[in-house]
Amino acid sequence: MATGTLRLLTCALFSLLVLKSDICLCQQFTVTLLQPSDCGADKIFDISSLSCVKCGPNQISSNSGTTCVCQTGFRVISSNGATITCQQCPADTKPGVTTDGYGCIKCPGGLTEDGKCLCPEGSILVERDLSGNLLEEAECKACSPVESAFSSPDATGSRCVRCQESFINTSQSCVCGPGKINAGGLCFPSTGLPTSVATSVNFAQLAFAVPSVWFSKNLHSSAAACLIFSNLTACQALGNMCAMNMHSFSSITNDACGLYNTIFRATAALGSVQDISYWRANLPWLYYGDQPGLASRALRTEVLPLGFSFKGANKNININFVAAVYNARGDFLKWEDVGGGNLQLCPDTDTRIRAAYVFGTAYQQNCVLSVSKLLKEFPEPLFYDLFMDFSVRDGERKLLAVPLRNLNLQYNGQFVNQGSNINNWYLTRRIFMADTLSGRENRLAAQPKVIRVATDIKISFMLVPNTQRGEVYPPLITVSYSDILVSDAEKQTVPVSFALEYEMDQREAQIKTDIALGVLGGVAVLYSLLKTASWKRRIASPIIDLETILKFLLFYAGDLANVFFVLTVGTGLYWLIFNKAQQFVSVLLPLPSQEERFVTYVACAFALKAVQFLHKLLHQLSVDIFFIDWERPRGKVVEGVGTEKSTPSPVSIWRTYFVANEWNEIQTVRKINPTFQVASVLFFLEVVGFSSLALRDPFPNLKRDPQAYTPPWSLILRYGVASTLWLVIGFLQMLFFTVVHERFVEDRIRQFVDLCSISNISVLLMSHRCFGYYIHGRSVHGHADTNMEEMNVHLKREAENLCGQRGLLPNTDTQTFQVSITHRLRQQYDRILEPLTRRNGPSRLMDASASPFEQNTKAYHTMNRFLGSVIDHAHKEMDYIVKDKLLFERVIGMEFIEPLDKSIFYNDESHSFSDVLYYGNEATLLIFDTLFFCVVDLGSQSFVLAAILTYVEQLVFRFLRNSIGRRNLAAKTLVDERFLI
């Protein structure tokens, strides 16, 4: 029995432990979120347990909501700091509770809301004697406001203290008598100031004004103390309130800036300080005068007494700003070096923040700040008077005042500083970062209804024209404030930016660019007219029609594209070299807004070059081409057995197919390797670091510290670096392929000419109706349709000069010609191809008696015999002569002699038939690829994306050129497209 009971208890204990263990494992650590305001009047918020706790008997919650206090009419009898015990005062004497809450006492007068004794104005409450013993009845002692006591109750009402000096000086008492002004706890005699002041702060962006408790308490008294007593702190406080009013002024004289200007005029007899006429004695310096046109005098008259240099022994790139710092009450706090983030609200590392004050480095900082963070960091605004610090020869430090252009400033209701005309600006002094004070309505401790934040600050330097010593004008700070209506501080955000920019007068550069554009554009017009005239002669058309005008516009588009390209590349190189290589500052990069014109030029160059490229591409895809087979039958084939009838042995067509296929392959051969071009440019830009040269700073470093500040890009420098690098690599490739590869490895163009000679096939290319190219491929051995042994013998004989030369004329080697044919020869050419043309036309014009295959075969043999006979001078009425082109004809690309009776074959050692191929248009292709790469980069600011899209563009156009060119080759040479692989 005992054993069974023991087992039962053991099992129960084990089960309890297991259950407790499971409870612990499943416990959740959660609490309910409560605010002190959620606890009500009879409970407090326990900061230890973060919950509401009920107060004891006769107790209520304090104003803070975190402690319990006795109810009205109850006194404290014991307290240990955490809890108190309250006891009701006797009811028969109607007592009040002492100020410290520990005693009950009879009151001589009424009671306050919390049950304390109430004394009349000018008296203090006395509850204890000199030994600290509680009196039976409290006393109200009147303070003596007359001489010689001049006393009044202090702020707590517990003791008499000496009156404020302005009361004594004005009325010889502690009472501000009739005819006097009592404002802000001070007493003033009647002055030139208005009797009432405008204490509302206008928030123009929100289109309403806020009655400011700070202005109502301090504006009138500060202005009066400044005017009457020359109180320096009061004058500074008045200046601060004018700054909080955005320095705006008008005909109204009772607002902060109106009062400041009234005092400024009234104190003219005091003179100025620091030899600055705008800085009146005792007053803060707020304005650079109140007349239009003074801004240009302050900004463009004097030059800074120091020069900036990027290199050498006199290197000077540091910008040193210092600020006199004041609080809202007008107290001078300190001199502070600017650069530690005091003007920059956005958080960042010290290294990046200090980079803003390196001369020549365009600085841009942007972020989004929380309104709650601004309220926490700026309970009151700090005001800065900014100066530029520089040293003179004797080592004495001098300060140059930095003017402020407040974009929110209103003059008679107009935002005069937002325009671009400097003569309309009103420059000011004194800046603040965030004003959370003026927007408070009822209590200074309350949350502001509106805050004002400096959301956009820009410091700009202007370079002195034609300077060679880095001289600049005084800097200008441009600030724009934003008014934020505070509704939900935790969720509201404010975008903030800070920037430094450097500019120079770009008018001279723009004038030179316009002159160059005008001159080169005029030359382009003349050159386009010349090309149009040459085109008219080559198509044998003397009439100026709509097609002629369209052709001129196409030619002019290409030539004008070259003009824009030369100007933009030259401009990019100019800024790249002079900005990165200068020692003393003599040039500064154009601002982003000034680069828009340059970007427009680049866009024009690309658009016009694209038109030229497409024009050339369509032209190449429509050229007429025919392969002349010189091979003749070398025997006869007997038809049937025992008969004498025989036919010439057929000539193999495979040589023609082979030459046509080779021509098809060289259609897109270029003088560079496009893939290598894209890869190498991207390698130098991104891996080697040439892209760093496009940053808006004066340093030519290719490698940058990842922790350092990275300036924004300059579009001009990006274009200059990318275009120069692309062209240099392209030219080096062309030089390598021309000098090395084509000479020692492979020359596809000359190999094609050799192939024609070996294959005994000539090529006639008609790029225009009466102009084209001829490749003489007639074999010097008479035939090429032979076996390997005989072919090797032929090649050996040719190598040993045991046979004739390959040229069209005897004893010459010239095989390539430019041909200008007569109108009669072209008509005969078209007549032979007319059946094929009709086949693609309306069905009523088609010859139904012959199949397409038979028509092709007949046309091919007819054209082959006809062109062969023309080359052999068999047609006297369509004969030709061979001559050299004049030098001027080769330069301008135009023939002076028009072929009327005889065609003209011009010797062409430069193989200019490649003009109908990619190979002969490398300059156009290279410029087009360069512009395509740069335009994509300027739009995306990504060299990687630009490289990828350029490579894709090359593939697409190469595919189109190959596929459509193959169809045109098959159609014009009558070679089946299936053999073109």
Side-chain angles (χ1 to χ4, degrees):
M1 183 65 180
T3 304
T5 303
L6 181 59
R7 288 179 179 177
L8 182 60
L9 290 175
T10 303
C11 292
L13 180 60
F14 179 80
S15 299
L16 180 61
L17 291 174
V18 171
L19 180 60
K20 186 176 180 180
S21 176
D22 290 342
I23 293 175
C24 294
L25 291 175
C26 299
Q27 185 176 4
Q28 296 183 353
F29 301 94
T30 59
V31 295
T32 301
L33 175 62
L34 293 175
Q35 300 285 354
S37 59
D38 299 331
C39 296
D42 60 342
K43 294 181 181 180
I44 64 169
F45 182 74
D46 187 349
I47 62 175
S48 174
S49 63
L50 303 179
S51 62
C52 293
V53 178
K54 186 175 179 61
C55 290
N58 305 320
Q59 298 174 16
I60 60 174
S61 173
S62 65
N63 292 333
S64 66
T66 58
T67 59
C68 293
V69 295
C70 293
Q71 294 180 358
T72 303
F74 288 77
R75 70 183 182 92
V76 179
I77 60 175
S78 65
S79 173
N80 61 4
T83 60
I84 61 174
T85 303
C86 300
Q87 184 184 52
Q88 187 174 14
C89 291
D92 53 348
T93 58
K94 297 183 179 179
V97 181
T98 58
T99 304
D100 58 14
Y102 280 87
C104 297
I105 193 169
K106 294 181 181 179
C107 294
L111 299 176
T112 63
E113 293 181 357
D114 55 355
K116 304 295 191 302
C117 295
L118 179 63
C119 286
E121 185 178 357
S123 301
I124 63 171
L125 179 65
V126 179
E127 298 174 330
R128 300 179 185 273
D129 60 17
L130 294 178
S131 300
N133 298 317
L134 188 65
L135 301 177
E136 292 184 1
E137 183 176 357
E139 300 176 357
C140 289
K141 298 285 187 178
C143 296
S144 177
V146 297
E147 193 176 2
S148 63
F150 291 131
S151 65
S152 63
D154 64 358
T156 63
S158 59
R159 57 192 299 261
C160 294
V161 296
R162 184 175 175 84
C163 299
Q164 212 280 331
E165 196 68 23
S166 63
F167 287 84
I168 301 173
N169 294 337
T170 304
S171 61
Q172 289 296 306
S173 70
C174 290
V175 178
C176 199
K180 306 298 188 293
I181 301 173
N182 190 342
L186 303 178
C187 182
F188 304 101
S190 297
T191 64
L193 296 177
T195 56
S196 62
V197 296
T199 59
S200 295
V201 179
N202 181 33
F203 294 94
Q205 295 176 358
L206 302 177
F208 64 79
V210 173
S212 173
V213 63
W214 177 261
F215 277 51
S216 64
K217 287 185 176 182
N218 299 288
L219 178 57
H220 202 171
S221 59
S222 297
C226 178
L227 177 61
I228 299 173
F229 305 119
S230 298
N231 186 285
L232 300 181
T233 304
C235 292
Q236 295 296 332
L238 177 62
N240 292 340
M241 284 182 272
C242 181
M244 286 190 277
N245 253 342
M246 299 290 95
H247 294 91
S248 298
F249 54 96
S250 61
S251 58
I252 300 176
T253 59
N254 66 341
D255 62 358
C257 294
L259 294 172
Y260 172 86
N261 287 319
T262 299
I263 297 173
F264 185 88
R265 290 187 294 267
T267 56
L270 298 178
S272 60
V273 297
Q274 300 284 5
D275 295 327
I276 298 174
S277 59
Y278 310 123
W279 198 344
R280 188 60 46 82
N282 301 327
L283 287 176
W285 177 14
L286 294 187
Y287 295 98
Y288 283 81
D290 57 354
Q291 300 298 323
L294 295 179
S296 59
R297 184 188 306 175
L299 294 175
R300 299 292 182 265
T301 302
E302 298 295 331
V303 178
L304 283 183
L306 77 164
F308 290 96
S309 174
F310 296 137
K311 301 174 183 177
N314 297 322
K315 181 178 179 180
N316 179 25
I317 59 174
N318 295 322
I319 304 172
N320 300 316
F321 287 119
V322 295
V325 186
Y326 300 85
N327 63 14
R329 296 164 184 80
D331 298 316
F332 174 79
L333 300 181
K334 59 180 175 179
W335 284 103
E336 184 174 80
D337 290 332
V338 176
N342 31 25
L343 292 186
Q344 298 159 262
L345 293 176
C346 296
D348 209 337
T349 63
D350 291 340
T351 302
R352 295 176 184 271
I353 289 177
R354 286 195 299 269
Y357 304 98
V358 176
F359 188 85
T361 300
Y363 187 87
Q364 183 70 45
Q365 185 188 50
N366 300 281
C367 66
V368 177
L369 299 178
S370 169
V371 171
S372 61
K373 181 179 179 181
L374 291 172
L375 292 174
K376 181 179 180 180
E377 293 185 356
F378 295 93
E380 292 184 2
L382 293 178
F383 297 85
Y384 302 92
D385 285 348
L386 295 176
F387 298 86
M388 190 168 181
D389 183 10
F390 57 91
S391 300
V392 292
R393 293 181 179 178
D394 57 1
E396 182 183 4
R397 295 178 66 182
K398 292 289 186 179
L399 300 180
L400 175 71
V402 180
L404 177 70
R405 176 191 172 198
N406 187 345
L407 298 182
N408 298 74
L409 182 147
Q410 296 184 66
Y411 181 77
N412 291 330
Q414 301 294 322
F415 293 97
V416 292
N417 284 346
Q418 294 184 4
S420 59
N421 188 352
I422 188 175
N423 292 318
N424 294 333
W425 296 349
Y426 286 86
L427 301 182
T428 57
R429 301 273 297 154
R430 191 153 294 190
I431 185 177
F432 62 88
M433 303 309 298
D435 173 19
T436 62
L437 186 61
S438 63
R440 302 176 191 265
E441 288 186 296
N442 301 317
R443 296 182 298 111
L444 290 178
Q447 178 175 284
K449 180 178 181 180
V450 181
I451 65 173
R452 183 171 271 156
V453 183
T455 52
D456 189 1
I457 297 178
K458 180 177 65 178
I459 304 176
S460 56
F461 286 84
M462 170 64 77
L463 190 68
V464 175
N466 302 318
T467 181
Q468 299 297 325
R469 292 294 177 182
E471 297 172 318
V472 296
Y473 291 116
L476 172 67
I477 298 180
T478 302
V479 59
S480 175
Y481 290 93
S482 295
D483 302 334
I484 297 101
L485 180 64
V486 181
S487 57
D488 189 346
E490 295 296 334
K491 296 182 179 179
Q492 287 180 280
T493 57
V494 182
V496 176
S497 68
F498 178 83
L500 266 84
E501 66 178 25
Y502 306 86
E503 59 179 315
M504 63 177 292
D505 190 353
Q506 300 289 338
R507 288 176 294 182
E508 183 179 356
Q510 292 178 358
I511 292 174
K512 291 180 179 179
T513 301
D514 292 340
I515 293 174
L517 182 60
V519 173
L520 295 178
V523 174
V525 171
L526 297 178
Y527 189 46
S528 299
L529 288 173
L530 190 63
K531 289 201 283 189
T532 305
S534 174
W535 172 79
K536 292 291 289 182
R537 173 160 293 185
R538 289 178 176 183
I539 66 171
S541 173
I543 303 174
I544 299 178
D545 51 8
L546 184 61
E547 184 184 8
T548 304
I549 297 175
L550 178 60
K551 206 70 175 180
F552 165 75
L553 294 177
L554 290 174
F555 287 139
Y556 184 58
D559 295 332
L560 190 59
N562 294 334
V563 171
F564 279 115
F565 182 72
V566 170
L567 282 178
T568 52
V569 173
T571 302
L573 268 178
Y574 169 83
W575 289 112
L576 180 63
I577 294 173
F578 283 90
N579 181 66
K580 297 295 182 179
Q582 59 185 331
Q583 178 176 347
F584 289 99
V585 182
S586 58
V587 297
L588 291 173
L589 288 173
L591 299 177
S593 59
Q594 296 171 332
E595 293 179 330
E596 295 178 358
R597 190 172 185 176
F598 176 84
V599 174
T600 302
Y601 285 170
V602 175
C604 291
F606 171 70
L608 294 173
K609 182 57 67 173
V611 171
Q612 182 192 23
F613 171 69
L614 293 176
H615 175 224
K616 284 183 174 289
L617 186 65
L618 293 176
H619 177 69
Q620 290 184 8
L621 295 175
S622 60
V623 297
D624 295 323
I625 181 172
F626 191 81
F627 298 114
I628 306 172
D629 192 353
W630 296 103
E631 195 73 18
R632 296 295 179 261
R634 300 179 62 185
K636 294 185 178 181
V637 177
V638 179
E639 296 182 357
V641 180
T643 63
E644 296 181 356
K645 186 178 180 180
S646 61
T647 59
S649 60
V651 176
S652 174
I653 194 63
W654 286 107
R655 291 173 296 100
T656 303
Y657 287 166
F658 184 66
V659 173
N661 196 68
E662 186 63 24
W663 175 264
N664 180 57
E665 291 182 0
I666 66 172
Q667 288 189 102
T668 55
V669 169
R670 295 183 58 175
K671 295 181 181 179
I672 66 171
N673 187 319
T675 304
F676 176 80
Q677 177 79 13
V678 173
S680 57
V681 168
L682 188 60
F683 172 79
F684 280 103
L685 286 173
E686 295 294 343
V687 179
V688 178
F690 275 82
S691 60
S692 298
L693 297 176
L695 296 174
R696 300 182 68 88
D697 63 18
F699 309 114
N701 303 330
L702 299 184
K703 295 296 183 181
R704 303 296 179 106
D705 185 358
Q707 304 300 323
Y709 171 74
T710 302
W713 300 104
S714 166
L715 297 183
I716 292 181
L717 293 186
R718 280 186 80 92
Y719 179 83
V721 172
S723 60
T724 301
L725 195 59
W726 191 283
L727 292 176
V728 168
I729 294 177
F731 288 149
L732 290 178
Q733 278 205 84
M734 292 171 62
L735 183 64
F736 171 78
F737 275 88
T738 302
V739 176
V740 179
H741 188 271
E742 292 182 355
R743 179 169 297 184
F744 300 105
V745 182
E746 182 182 35
D747 186 349
R748 299 289 296 275
I749 302 302
R750 286 173 174 77
Q751 284 179 350
F752 178 77
V753 177
D754 292 338
L755 177 64
C756 291
S757 296
I758 295 174
S759 303
N760 201 17
I761 290 177
S762 296
V763 181
L764 179 65
L765 298 161
M766 299 304 297
S767 59
H768 300 76
R769 187 176 185 278
C770 294
F771 180 84
Y773 307 92
Y774 174 67
I775 303 174
H776 186 63
R778 193 168 190 173
S779 176
V780 296
H781 308 289
H783 58 273
D785 197 0
T786 182
N787 56 30
M788 182 183 294
E789 292 181 0
E790 188 172 359
M791 179 62 70
N792 289 333
V793 172
H794 290 170
L795 295 177
K796 184 178 181 181
R797 287 171 56 82
E798 192 170 358
E800 295 175 354
N801 292 325
L802 298 179
C803 57
Q805 294 178 308
R806 293 181 175 181
L808 175 62
L809 297 180
N811 300 319
T812 63
D813 285 328
T814 305
Q815 294 180 257
T816 55
F817 302 86
Q818 295 181 10
V819 296
S820 183
I821 63 176
T822 61
H823 181 63
R824 184 183 297 109
L825 177 56
R826 181 65 195 198
Q827 283 183 326
Q828 184 61 29
Y829 184 92
D830 293 338
R831 190 177 295 114
I832 296 174
L833 295 178
E834 186 178 4
L836 302 180
T837 306
R838 285 205 309 263
R839 190 182 70 194
N840 297 325
S843 58
R844 59 186 176 82
L845 300 177
M846 295 177 59
D847 185 6
S849 62
S851 66
F853 177 77
E854 292 175 349
Q855 288 180 344
N856 275 353
T857 303
K858 182 178 179 181
Y860 171 78
H861 288 296
T862 303
M863 182 66 73
N864 193 69
R865 288 193 300 269
F866 168 69
L867 293 180
S869 62
V870 170
I871 300 299
D872 286 338
H873 302 278
H875 297 277
K876 298 301 181 183
E877 71 281 5
M878 291 181 283
D879 204 0
Y880 66 92
I881 59 174
V882 179
K883 59 178 299 185
D884 291 327
K885 257 191 176 183
L886 299 176
L887 176 62
F888 193 59
E889 287 181 312
R890 292 198 298 268
V891 170
I892 65 175
M894 180 178 179
E895 298 77 34
F896 294 159
I897 302 176
E898 186 175 356
L900 298 177
D901 298 326
K902 291 185 178 182
S903 301
I904 304 175
F905 281 38
Y906 295 100
N907 293 314
D908 180 25
E909 297 289 348
S910 61
H911 298 80
S912 59
F913 68 88
S914 61
D915 287 346
V916 299
L917 305 172
Y918 262 15
Y919 186 87
N921 295 274
E922 186 58 54
T924 301
L925 295 171
L926 186 64
I927 295 176
F928 177 73
D929 289 343
T930 304
L931 288 170
F932 186 91
F933 179 87
C934 293
V935 166
V936 174
D937 172 67
L938 292 181
S940 64
Q941 295 194 7
S942 172
F943 289 122
V944 176
L945 179 62
I948 293 174
L949 293 183
T950 304
Y951 179 72
V952 173
E953 168 262 317
Q954 292 173 343
L955 291 180
V956 169
F957 282 110
R958 190 185 310 164
F959 172 77
L960 293 176
R961 178 65 179 85
N962 278 326
S963 58
I964 302 177
R966 181 168 59 250
R967 295 178 184 177
N968 179 70
L969 179 64
K972 299 297 178 61
T973 62
L974 310 179
V975 173
D976 196 308
E977 189 176 353
R978 290 173 291 182
F979 293 99
L980 302 176
I981 59 175

